């Protein structure tokens, strides 16, 4: 039996390389920093490749990598990897999102302490042979209020450690249920403004999305306590750097500890040179332990994929044999679609997800469909951090209960229904898969349809009265948005109706706001699937 070939082209820990070389059925080549021209010439011979952030795994790469089965990304981000291109070719992409969380949490605390105690400024004075403590007076963290934005894995680790400092911890995360706040002993802030007004120290632990870029800018900083201290070990650009620099000069912000910058690795930030800033060059994952974990984790992921096993960190599709996927793709698409509706129509944190399979759907590998629903649910808020394999873990770590039920019987209609609970509120959606494997949406919030979902959709709840469709059509026409399909469902007893429109292009916020402002429109949501 021929050995499978693995090439490692960017540096991982020696322990990771040793794990790969210890596999008797693998032939391992290590060529750190190999020129791209040379890599493209030889990559066609390999079954697996391990990269970090430099190597571009794109269409050009895939054209050359004719035998590739798995791309291992040693680290979290996958910006350098064309995920769609890999999925289309049946190539599994795996990464190591959990390997550096402890290191990132500890570095967050290190920056917090250093900025509160003027550590860097003191170091520079000593280096200049100056012994003077007059301008180095710091502050204690004891009994101060720590505001955490993003109560995910790293935010939780920071919480537990700073509670040992006897800090009061408050947090803002609209996607985490109340039960998790209570379990951690953290005060929940209903709004970001609430947190800004109360916190003495603020640290951000969110992914970089359209929602979070520049989430703390000039106006937000004005709402903070005078002398607030800031920390960011997540992603550059969550704080507006120019706004922070101005606030430091005005005395509104006392200090900031940053491990990430907008234009890294180019050191051009307005914060550079300010003595109130403690800056490090993206060192959150740079510990011996984290790098060992990354190396070992990615080596194990690659080995598992090559052995045909399920992997915990598949970014695109789980490692399934073709026969397992046969007849499943339509249901996986349907599940992801149903899940994606929630956070694009509602904002309340989820407590429970109930999925019921009826008829022929109940006889399938429903666990995979449930995972696709969870992937769709969390994808709008977590981006690349969630996939079909780790979707259940994403739900578990957020305190979301997942319940699956089946109703067998040939007399039952083929149907997948989802009920998402948040406190006393519920959101429902359902669908089915046609014989040609096309998914159909059949119900949203009690309104019934038979609609093939598309990439862009508008869901508008309205009064059931004449003229509503015409008004929406006129506004969308003026905005040059073409309506591909539309269905209306009614609840005559309530006097309400809901329209679903599939459209050919994105709808700008201003247009959506105008639609929502029409007389008789109760809500309007633009959904991207």
């Amino acid at each position: 039996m021929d050995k499978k070939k693995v090439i490692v082209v960017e540096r991982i820990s020696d322990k990771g390389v040793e794990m790969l070389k210890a596999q008797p059925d693998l032939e391992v080549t290590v060529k750190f920093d190999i020129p791209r021209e040379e890599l493209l010439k030889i990559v066609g011979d390999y079954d697996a490749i391990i990269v970090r952030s430099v190597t571009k795994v794109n269409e050009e790469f895939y054209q050359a990598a004719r035998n590739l089965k798995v791309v291992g990304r040693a680290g979290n981000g996958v910006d350098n990897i064309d995920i769609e291109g890999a999925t289309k070719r049946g190539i599994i992409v795996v990464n190591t999102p959990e390997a550096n969380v402890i290191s990132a949490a500890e570095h967050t605390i290190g920056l917090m302490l250093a900025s509160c105690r003027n550590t860097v400024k003191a170091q520079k004075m000593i280096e200049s042979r100056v012994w003077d403590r007059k301008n180095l007076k710091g502050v204690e963290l004891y009994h101060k209020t720590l505001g955490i934005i993003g109560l995910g894995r790293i935010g939780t680790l920071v919480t537990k450690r700073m509670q040992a400092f006897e800090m009061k911890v408050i947090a803002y995360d609209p996607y985490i249920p109340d039960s998790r706040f209570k379990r951690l002993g953290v005060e929940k802030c209903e709004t970001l403004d609430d947190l800004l007004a109360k916190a003495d120290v603020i640290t951000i632990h969110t992914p970089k999305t359209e929602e979070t870029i520049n989430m703390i800018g000039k106006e937000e900083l004005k709402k903070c306590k005078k002398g607030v201290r800031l920390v960011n070990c997540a992603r550059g650009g969550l704080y507006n750097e120019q706004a922070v620099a101005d606030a430091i000069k005005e005395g509104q912000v006392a200090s900031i500890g940053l491990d990430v910058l907008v234009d890294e690795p180019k050191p051009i930030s307005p914060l550079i040179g300010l003595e109130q800033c403690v800056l490090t060059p993206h060192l959150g994952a740079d510990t011996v332990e984290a790098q060992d974990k990354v190396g070992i984790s990615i080596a194990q992921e690659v080995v598992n994929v090559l052995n045909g096993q399920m992997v915990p960190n598949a970014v695109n599709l789980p490692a399934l044999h073709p026969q397992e996927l046969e007849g499943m793709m339509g249901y996986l698409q349907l599940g992801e679609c149903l899940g994606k509706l929630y956070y694009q129509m509602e904002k309340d944190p989820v407590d429970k997800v109930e999925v019921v399979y009826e008829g022929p759907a109940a006889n399938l590998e429903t666990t995979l469909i449930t995972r696709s629903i969870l992937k769709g649910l969390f994808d709008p808020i977590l981006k690349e951090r969630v996939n079909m394999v780790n979707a259940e873990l994403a739900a578990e770590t957020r305190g979301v209960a997942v319940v699956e039920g089946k109703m067998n019987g040939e007399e039952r209609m083929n149907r997948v229904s989802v009920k998402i609970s948040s406190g006393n509120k519920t959101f429902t959606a359902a669908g089915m898969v046609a014989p040609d494997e096309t998914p159909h949406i059949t119900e949203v919030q009690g309104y019934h349809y038979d609609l093939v979902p598309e990439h862009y959709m508008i869901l508008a709840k309205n009064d059931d009265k004449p003229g509503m469709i015409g008004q929406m059509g006129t506004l969308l026409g003026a905005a040059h948005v073409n309506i591909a399909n539309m269905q209306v469902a009614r609840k005559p007893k309530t006097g309400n109706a809901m329209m679903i429109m599939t459209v050919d292009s994105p709808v700008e916020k201003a247009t959506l706001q105008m639609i929502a402002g029409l007389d008789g429109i109760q809500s309007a949501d633009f959904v991207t699937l």
Side-chain angles (χ1 to χ4, degrees):
M1 178 176 167
D2 293 337
K3 290 187 175 183
K4 293 172 182 173
K5 296 184 176 181
V6 180
I7 184 168
V8 184
V9 298
E10 294 186 61
R11 190 167 297 279
I12 63 172
S13 68
D14 291 342
K15 290 183 179 179
V17 174
E18 290 167 5
M19 174 178 281
L20 289 170
K21 290 185 174 180
Q23 305 300 314
D25 55 347
L26 295 186
E27 180 182 318
V28 181
T29 302
V30 178
K31 288 197 173 185
F32 296 150
D33 304 319
I34 181 175
R36 185 168 181 82
E37 295 77 13
E38 182 181 345
L39 175 61
L40 292 178
K41 289 180 181 178
I42 67 172
V43 72
D45 296 331
Y46 290 90
D47 299 279
I49 185 170
I50 293 178
V51 304
R52 292 190 77 94
S53 59
V54 174
T55 305
K56 300 298 181 186
V57 184
N58 52 18
E59 184 64 27
E60 177 190 41
F61 181 91
Y62 292 132
Q63 292 288 344
R66 57 185 178 273
N67 291 318
L68 199 64
K69 299 173 180 63
V70 55
V71 176
R73 165 62 164 96
N76 182 28
V78 289
D79 294 344
N80 57 314
I81 300 172
D82 175 5
I83 303 298
E84 184 177 348
T87 302
K88 183 170 64 176
R89 293 170 170 83
I91 299 170
I92 306 301
V93 179
V94 293
N95 64 350
T96 57
E98 296 293 315
N100 67 348
V101 291
I102 291 177
S103 293
E106 290 184 356
H107 195 54
T108 297
I109 296 166
L111 289 176
M112 195 183 304
L113 290 166
S115 61
C116 285
R117 297 305 300 270
N118 296 305
T119 304
V120 175
K121 182 180 178 182
Q123 167 81 9
K124 290 179 179 178
M125 290 180 65
I126 294 293
E127 289 175 351
S128 301
R129 305 296 190 270
V130 175
W131 189 278
D132 185 355
R133 294 181 294 188
K134 292 195 300 292
N135 297 317
L136 297 176
K137 189 176 292 183
V139 297
E140 294 181 350
L141 295 174
Y142 177 69
H143 280 190
K144 296 293 194 303
T145 298
L146 173 63
I148 296 181
I149 302 173
L151 200 58
R153 183 74 173 125
I154 297 175
T156 297
L157 292 174
V158 173
T159 293
K160 293 178 179 178
R161 284 152 177 76
M162 299 321 295
Q163 285 171 334
F165 277 61
E166 295 191 44
M167 293 191 81
K168 176 183 179 182
V169 181
I170 63 176
Y172 170 70
D173 193 326
Y175 305 112
I176 296 293
D178 292 351
S179 57
R180 184 169 177 81
F181 285 85
K182 292 177 182 177
R183 189 163 59 251
L184 294 173
V186 174
E187 178 185 319
K188 180 179 180 179
C189 295
E190 296 295 340
T191 66
L192 178 59
D193 286 354
D194 186 23
L195 180 142
L196 298 177
K198 294 178 179 179
D200 299 300
V201 182
I202 298 173
T203 178
I204 302 183
H205 300 283
T206 70
K208 190 173 184 178
T209 66
E210 291 182 7
E211 184 180 5
T212 61
I213 292 174
N214 290 320
M215 70 183 304
I216 307 294
K218 181 178 179 180
E219 295 305 316
E220 287 76 18
L221 291 171
K222 289 179 180 178
K223 299 172 184 177
C224 296
K225 290 183 178 181
K226 188 175 179 63
V228 68
R229 297 176 185 273
L230 311 175
V231 183
N232 183 10
C233 276
R235 290 288 185 268
L238 305 183
Y239 292 110
N240 183 290
E241 292 174 9
Q242 186 60 60
V244 173
D246 293 341
I248 287 174
K249 294 172 184 177
E250 295 164 1
Q252 176 66 8
V253 173
S255 68
I256 185 168
L258 276 184
D259 188 44
V260 286
L261 294 171
V262 172
D263 294 307
E264 61 182 61
K266 301 175 183 177
I268 59 176
S269 171
L271 295 169
I272 296 173
L274 297 181
E275 63 180 19
Q276 297 91 340
C277 302
V278 179
L279 307 176
T280 54
H282 211 142
L283 300 179
D286 263 7
T287 63
V288 172
E289 292 84 357
Q291 292 307 307
D292 279 348
K293 289 176 188 174
V294 168
I296 293 169
S297 295
I298 200 61
Q300 188 63 63
E301 295 285 296
V302 168
V303 169
N304 287 345
V305 172
L306 292 178
N307 288 336
Q309 300 174 21
M310 295 288 286
V311 289
N313 291 306
V315 178
N316 48 359
L317 288 175
L320 299 172
H321 294 294
Q323 60 267 31
E324 292 179 284
L325 278 175
E326 187 176 350
M328 289 285 294
M329 292 307 299
Y331 287 93
L332 298 179
Q333 294 168 11
L334 173 64
E336 188 166 346
C337 169
L338 296 177
K340 278 187 174 181
L341 291 176
Y342 181 79
Y343 274 126
Q344 297 184 80
M345 298 180 67
E346 305 288 341
K347 291 297 183 184
D348 296 316
V350 174
D351 296 314
K352 187 176 184 180
V353 177
E354 299 172 76
V355 187
V356 176
Y357 298 93
E358 300 180 57
N363 299 319
L364 298 172
E365 181 53 67
T366 56
T367 300
L368 291 176
I369 307 172
T370 299
R371 287 175 178 171
S372 72
I373 291 169
L374 296 175
K375 178 185 184 301
L377 174 64
F378 293 118
D379 188 65
I381 60 171
L382 298 180
K383 301 300 178 183
E384 80 278 358
R385 293 181 180 271
V386 65
N387 53 65
M388 281 185 60
V389 179
N390 67 13
E392 289 182 333
L393 178 61
E396 180 183 343
T397 58
R398 283 160 182 79
V400 178
V402 180
V403 179
E404 184 180 300
K406 297 183 180 182
M407 295 182 180
N408 295 298
E410 294 182 1
E411 73 282 358
R412 289 193 171 273
M413 182 174 60
N414 184 30
R415 175 180 162 98
V416 179
S417 58
V418 179
K419 179 181 177 182
I420 299 174
S421 302
S422 176
N424 295 324
K425 297 172 63 177
T426 60
F427 176 91
T428 62
M432 53 83 68
V433 176
D436 64 356
E437 297 194 9
T438 302
H440 290 240
I441 294 175
T442 59
E443 185 255 315
V444 178
Q445 287 292 66
Y447 293 93
H448 297 279
Y449 309 89
D450 185 5
L451 182 82
V452 176
E454 297 292 347
H455 188 54
Y456 301 122
M457 302 199 306
I458 301 171
L459 289 88
K461 188 176 179 181
N462 58 278
D463 298 340
D464 188 10
K465 64 180 185 179
M468 302 309 303
I469 297 172
Q471 289 185 76
M472 280 191 64
T474 299
L475 273 179
L476 291 172
H480 305 289
V481 176
N482 188 50
I483 300 171
N485 196 359
M486 184 191 72
Q487 290 191 18
V488 180
R490 309 163 65 190
K491 291 182 180 178
K493 291 184 180 180
T494 66
N496 296 324
M498 182 185 283
M499 290 180 266
I500 298 184
M501 295 181 176
T502 63
V503 295
D504 292 341
S505 60
V507 179
E508 295 183 358
K509 287 184 179 180
T511 302
L512 199 63
Q513 288 170 351
M514 285 192 288
I515 291 173
L518 290 172
D519 180 38
I521 295 293
Q522 300 171 23
S523 64
D525 298 292
F526 176 65
V527 172
T528 302
L529 300 180

